[in-house]
Amino acid sequence: MTSIATLGSHCSLQVLKGAKDEGFKTLLVCEKKREKLYKRFPFIDELIVVDNFKEVLDSKCQSILEQNNAVLIPHGTLIAQMSSDEIESIKTPIFGNKWILRWESDREMKEKLMREANLPMPKPVTHPSQIEKLSIVKRQGAAGGKGYFMAANEDDYNTKRNQLISEGIISKDETLYIQEYAAGVLAYLTFFYSPLKDELEFYGVDQRHESDIEGLGRIPADQQMKSNKVPSFNVIGNSPLVLRESLLDEVYTMGENFVEAAKRIVAPGMNGPFCIEGVYDENAKFTSFEFSARIVAGSNIYMDGSPYYSLLFNETMSMGKRIAREIKIADNEKQLDKITT
Ligand code: AMP
């Protein structure tokens, strides 16, 4: 019997609830400090307690997963806490395409894939001296927006970078990535591509709430001017959004272009959930600054089903359940190798 496992964080509750609803045994790799939290949820059948998530690479953990014929569902915590080499070395079958996670983590590779998918992107800035318009400075990997900052020119960049280094938030030898700031309404578009059906589904949209850039908006301008704090983009939570229906066609096109590009350059392609992240400007033109090549935490909003999935399924369908459904179908048809790597 196949089982479903994930790391205890990010969207693990949604993933394992969905897995249980689809009839799977569920396993959670859980840090000791979170044991009490996760024991509250009866749909988690087994906790694999670890001191650190990296223990997933150890033979002890891997053999428990193997004995249970587990499929591991990757999410943001796996990417934030492990290197691409480490993720690729995991022996347990990983849902989706583990090779594409490297393309998510590495800024240069990320840009290449987005370009290949024809996604409209903010202009990258190659050097601080080239900053001409308001720009955002980012860290590598899934840092969750912590330590990001905005800069209007090179001096501004240097001042803020030095301040964050002295506060211990970023390190001196860290390579930072700069791109022009895109203003507008935030929209994080989540899709699911099924290689079994060769079909793209649009799941929904969320917005991230980021501190303390959002907090800054609640303070009058004269107070803002007196503060010399560098606001970060640390994600605190998510809220739902529905789009003007006239935008949907373009949304599907972007999703399809991304799936096609991934098929061309990172086999076996963009299988499973993914998210295209960006903003709509005043002309409803979308600019994408990011993608996530796996389930995003914003999908947690729709544990009871999303507006767009209610159009596609006559039942409550979360992204966690959709993943489990795909595994169930593949398992029954002896095609697990088609949806895992
Ligand atoms: P990321 O790590 O790229 O997802 O960025 C974290 C957050 O920074 C996003 O959720 C946005 O709020 C913000 N952000 C990133 N890139 C841009 C950009 N080019 N323009 C405007 N906001 C951005």
Side-chain angles (χ1 to χ4, degrees):
M1 262 297 280
T2 301
S3 66
I4 291 185
T6 197
L7 305 188
S9 186
H10 196 265
C11 56
S12 61
L13 291 171
Q14 185 206 154
V15 164
L16 295 191
K17 174 69 167 64
K20 187 59 126 195
D21 288 347
E22 288 297 290
F24 287 97
K25 177 180 177 185
T26 59
L27 295 108
L28 187 79
V29 181
C30 175
E31 289 172 309
K32 245 183 215 133
K33 61 180 184 194
R34 299 257 174 91
E35 209 179 335
K36 191 168 163 219
L37 168 71
Y38 286 109
K39 278 195 166 149
R40 293 175 192 272
F41 301 97
F43 54 82
I44 302 175
D45 294 318
E46 192 172 326
L47 293 182
I48 306 173
V49 181
V50 295
D51 288 316
N52 183 302
F53 283 134
K54 286 209 187 224
E55 285 174 46
V56 121
L57 302 164
D58 296 348
S59 56
K60 188 173 156 223
C61 207
Q62 301 246 331
S63 79
I64 299 174
L65 293 172
E66 195 184 324
Q67 281 157 23
N68 282 281
N69 292 320
V71 173
L72 186 68
I73 314 300
H75 55 55
T77 304
L78 187 81
I79 294 177
Q81 303 212 0
M82 277 179 223
S83 69
S84 299
D85 285 341
E86 285 169 333
I87 294 171
E88 288 166 7
S89 76
I90 295 174
K91 299 274 180 301
T92 310
I94 292 184
F95 183 73
N97 180 358
K98 69 179 173 187
W99 312 106
I100 203 171
L101 300 176
R102 183 182 285 274
W103 291 72
E104 172 181 337
S105 297
D106 182 296
R107 293 270 173 209
E108 310 296 321
M109 291 171 88
K110 172 170 267 178
E111 216 184 284
K112 187 170 172 215
L113 182 50
M114 290 174 76
R115 216 176 286 286
E116 182 79 19
N118 252 331
L119 286 173
M121 284 188 285
K123 202 172 131 211
V125 180
T126 46
H127 189 267
S129 62
Q130 306 294 309
I131 301 176
E132 287 169 357
K133 289 188 186 157
L134 183 63
S135 296
I136 182 164
V137 184
K138 307 185 189 190
R139 305 173 73 193
Q140 299 282 333
K146 224 175 186 165
Y148 286 22
F149 61 96
M150 282 193 235
N153 51 46
E154 188 174 14
D155 283 350
D156 194 19
Y157 171 94
N158 287 330
T159 311
K160 286 174 179 158
R161 177 171 169 266
N162 291 339
Q163 187 178 331
L164 289 174
I165 291 170
S166 69
E167 289 170 3
I169 296 172
I170 60 175
S171 72
K172 214 167 153 219
D173 36 42
E174 212 172 313
T175 315
L176 298 174
Y177 176 88
I178 315 169
Q179 66 182 192
E180 282 182 1
Y181 187 81
V185 173
L186 291 172
Y188 299 80
L189 314 168
T190 292
F191 303 84
F192 183 95
Y193 172 71
S194 165
L196 300 177
K197 293 197 294 175
D198 185 22
E199 224 167 74
L200 178 74
E201 298 157 6
F202 177 49
Y203 173 72
V205 198
D206 74 277
Q207 287 197 317
R208 277 188 208 157
H209 296 283
E210 296 161 329
S211 203
D212 46 0
I213 192 72
E214 279 196 21
L216 199 65
R218 295 167 60 94
I219 299 172
D222 59 328
Q223 301 293 329
Q224 289 182 18
M225 309 274 276
K226 286 180 204 143
S227 159
N228 61 357
K229 191 171 182 308
V230 180
S232 82
F233 290 78
N234 192 20
V235 183
I236 302 299
N238 306 72
S239 61
L241 188 74
V242 285
L243 294 175
R244 281 171 60 172
E245 197 161 308
S246 55
L247 296 174
L248 277 186
D249 196 36
E250 192 203 2
V251 166
Y252 274 99
T253 304
M254 285 193 287
E256 274 164 2
N257 286 345
F258 193 77
V259 167
E260 288 311 314
K263 262 187 197 156
R264 282 195 300 274
I265 67 175
V266 47
M270 185 59 266
N271 299 340
F274 65 99
C275 184
I276 296 176
E277 303 155 11
V279 292
Y280 282 98
D281 72 7
E282 73 273 28
N283 299 315
K285 184 183 164 297
F286 189 73
T287 301
S288 172
F289 44 72
E290 270 281 7
F291 71 82
S292 300
R294 35 78 198 175
I295 185 170
V296 289
S299 62
N300 286 337
I301 298 163
Y302 307 119
M303 294 202 212
D304 243 354
S306 71
Y308 297 102
Y309 259 15
S310 73
L311 302 172
L312 300 178
F313 297 90
N314 284 321
E315 63 179 307
T316 301
M317 183 64 72
S318 70
M319 184 52 80
K321 190 171 165 189
R322 180 66 188 88
I323 292 170
R325 177 72 52 92
E326 189 83 346
I327 296 173
K328 192 155 96 178
I329 297 168
D331 204 15
N332 288 339
E333 295 173 359
K334 306 248 173 307
Q335 290 198 311
L336 271 182
D337 56 336
K338 215 168 167 180
I339 58 156
T340 58
T341 41

